[in-house]
Amino acid sequence: SSAMYTPSHTHPLHTMANTNPSGKVSLTVQLVPATYEYLKKMTLRESDALRALRETLAAQPHAQMAASPDEAQFLAFLLPLMNAKKVIEVGVFKGYTTLAMAAALPADGKVVGLDVSDEYVSVARPFWKQAGVQDRIDVRIAPASDSMDQMLKDGEAGTYDLVFIDADKNNYDVYYEKGLQLLRVGGVVAIDNTLWDGRPAGEEKDFDEDTKAIHALNTKLRTDERVALSGLPLADGLTLCRKL
């Protein structure tokens, strides 16, 4: 039938959409608070080790620094689509996303985790072992920029499938540039916190140093012809850059 569907009642989102110039509401989860919990309930699939690690982290200081479980699951979902075997994670923290990605790789895959704090990383190691993926995770404790320089010196340019950046914001551009060199064509740089609690959308005069760095990289990515670009309102903003 060519008849158009007409809803039998007016949903609150439809009413709200009328106030949006584009005619669309992009963030249902923002408008209806219970939606995000529903989304996680319906789609989140955590292994026992992942869930145990998340629950451990939730009870510790700086819990908000860990990636959200749906974001980690999204990254893990991407890897088999790319036939990925080699991943760099810039900023391991307590290893939740590390575990999710390592579990999504084949047995001969590797996540090279770069961090400056073995104290934080050590929290994750028992859970990596519980999941049986500790041999797929290679942690290097040193400034990430130095580790990436060493990887380039070792001839690893163009050999990685995905680089996930979630570390000190002032060095985001450095990590992006080195990550791009280490990626194969078709590989992806995934950059976390690109919405940074909405601060980059505010007045530039109010930006702190971290917000300035994120906004500068977002501005650069907008016209960077070396990559295809997609920005997702996932977690605190996830920007995907596919190397052309």
Side-chain angles (χ1 to χ4, degrees):
S1 168
S2 60
M4 289 182 64
Y5 166 72
T6 304
S8 58
H9 64 283
T10 302
H11 189 279
L13 288 185
H14 298 158
T15 306
M16 292 177 192
N18 292 336
T19 66
N20 186 320
S22 70
K24 295 274 188 182
V25 173
S26 62
L27 285 180
T28 301
V29 291
Q30 185 178 21
L31 294 167
V32 183
T35 309
Y36 180 54
E37 291 306 315
Y38 175 81
L39 177 68
K40 287 192 292 183
K41 180 181 177 182
M42 290 294 130
T43 64
L44 191 60
R45 297 180 177 181
E46 286 181 305
S47 66
D48 290 344
L50 267 174
R51 186 174 61 256
L53 176 53
R54 178 170 56 82
E55 289 171 353
T56 298
L57 299 185
Q60 294 185 352
H62 311 296
Q64 77 282 0
M65 288 172 58
S68 64
D70 50 330
E71 180 182 35
Q73 182 168 297
F74 175 73
L75 292 169
F77 184 89
L78 280 184
L79 296 176
L81 293 178
M82 303 169 63
N83 293 315
K85 284 191 174 184
K86 293 179 68 179
V87 173
I88 299 170
E89 183 179 30
V90 184
V92 175
F93 189 49
K94 297 180 181 178
Y96 182 89
T97 307
T98 323
L99 174 52
M101 293 193 295
L105 292 176
D108 59 345
K110 190 74 73 175
V111 177
V112 179
L114 310 180
D115 210 296
V116 292
S117 170
D118 194 53
E119 178 190 353
Y120 285 153
V121 173
S122 65
V123 173
R125 292 185 194 276
F127 299 95
W128 297 346
K129 188 173 182 180
Q130 179 187 342
V133 299
Q134 69 273 27
D135 293 340
R136 298 180 205 169
I137 300 170
D138 174 8
V139 175
R140 302 178 188 181
I141 303 297
S145 179
D146 294 348
S147 296
M148 295 172 95
D149 282 341
Q150 187 60 51
M151 293 157 86
L152 290 166
K153 285 178 188 172
D154 291 343
E156 293 192 83
T159 67
Y160 283 85
D161 301 295
L162 184 134
V163 178
F164 178 50
I165 300 172
D166 183 14
D168 53 307
K169 310 313 170 197
N170 280 335
N171 282 312
Y172 258 34
D173 187 59
V174 172
Y175 303 145
Y176 171 69
E177 288 296 337
K178 294 182 193 299
L180 211 54
Q181 291 179 64
L182 287 159
L183 274 186
R184 64 171 171 86
V185 171
V188 171
V189 180
I191 308 167
D192 198 22
N193 301 119
T194 48
L195 295 180
W196 201 229
D197 286 335
R199 288 187 284 262
E203 295 287 333
E204 286 193 47
K205 63 180 175 58
D206 298 326
F207 288 179
D208 60 14
E209 291 306 308
D210 286 344
T211 308
K212 286 177 186 174
I214 289 170
H215 180 62
L217 181 57
N218 287 341
T219 302
K220 170 178 167 173
L221 294 177
R222 185 170 178 263
T223 55
D224 190 341
E225 295 185 353
R226 298 172 296 172
V227 297
L229 188 67
S230 180
L232 302 177
L234 180 62
D236 193 23
L238 180 68
T239 299
L240 303 177
C241 310
R242 189 180 78 247
K243 184 175 178 177
L244 300 176

